[in-house]
Amino acid sequence: MLTELGGKGGCLCEPAKSGTLRCPLIVRPTSEDVITGHLFGTLQAINPRWWLPDFLNHALGVERFRRQVFRKLRIVLWQKQPKFPRWLIPWDEGQTEVDVVITWENPPTTVFVEMKYGSPLSANTTHNNGHAGYPADQLIRNARIGLYQCGCYQEAKLFEFLPRDFSLILLSPKTGNPLVERYRDLGKFRESIPHNGRLATLPRTPFIGEMNYLVLLNILDSNQRFMTKTEQRLTDQLNDYIQFKLDQLISKQSDN
């Protein structure tokens, strides 16, 4: 953030800025990882009571989550998920790395957040270009993997456990992604999942949603009066950074 906002981290050479030199220290303007790390690194330091329920409720469009003490709350970035079972899909699939995984235990809940900044959702994923007759985009892949990890598939297990609640949120500069609307329709969602008859249960609906960065900033701003001075300062800094990144994105799009 210091490098991007004010050059406080030092200067980068011109070849690195232009992209002709692959510099490992460069903060690339289009990097989704940079904005993901700063955004959720800051949110981890703010009491989740003041952002997490509102974030999920706004993204899903329903009042599903309440303000509470989130027991055993964890926010993990870029978490690799176990490979999806081969017997549930007609293609070989590698590991999936989820941008943000949020979990807590009262009740047992898992949230996947797919982050987008300067690029759209991928229409195809590794080893799957839709050749098997099912959608191959990032959103349906993350949904399918999340449901499996949360115990929604029927299979023989050594130890049984109750399914976890699950939500999948697309966080991007703009809302209105057609894939989100498509997969919120349970009929279309099931049609997009191989062996959907193995889905013994589904989370409370809707469990797929989306939000843009400005709405998240508004949530933080509306709850700022309840925060500590430190949290308020962090919120102000985050607001400055996200606004800077959105302006940067608009400028880049206008240049193109």
Side-chain angles (χ1 to χ4, degrees), residues 59-99:
L60 296 171
V62 293
E63 293 294 319
R64 273 184 54 185
F65 300 92
R66 61 184 178 86
R67 298 192 193 280
Q68 63 175 52
V69 175
F70 293 89
R71 294 176 185 167
K72 297 184 179 180
L73 177 73
R74 296 185 69 219
I75 301 175
V76 182
L77 306 185
W78 309 298
Q79 186 182 72
K80 290 187 179 298
Q81 302 298 310
K83 287 186 178 181
F84 196 77
R86 180 65 175 82
W87 60 272
L88 285 174
I89 47 175
W91 61 83
D92 291 317
E93 187 169 84
Q95 278 189 309
T96 295
E97 184 177 87
V98 178
D99 292 329

Side-chain angles (χ1 to χ4, degrees), residues 244-256:
F244 167 77
K245 295 299 292 182
L246 292 176
D247 291 343
Q248 192 179 52
L249 183 61
I250 293 171
S251 176
K252 183 177 184 297
Q253 291 173 342
S254 62
D255 291 341
N256 295 336

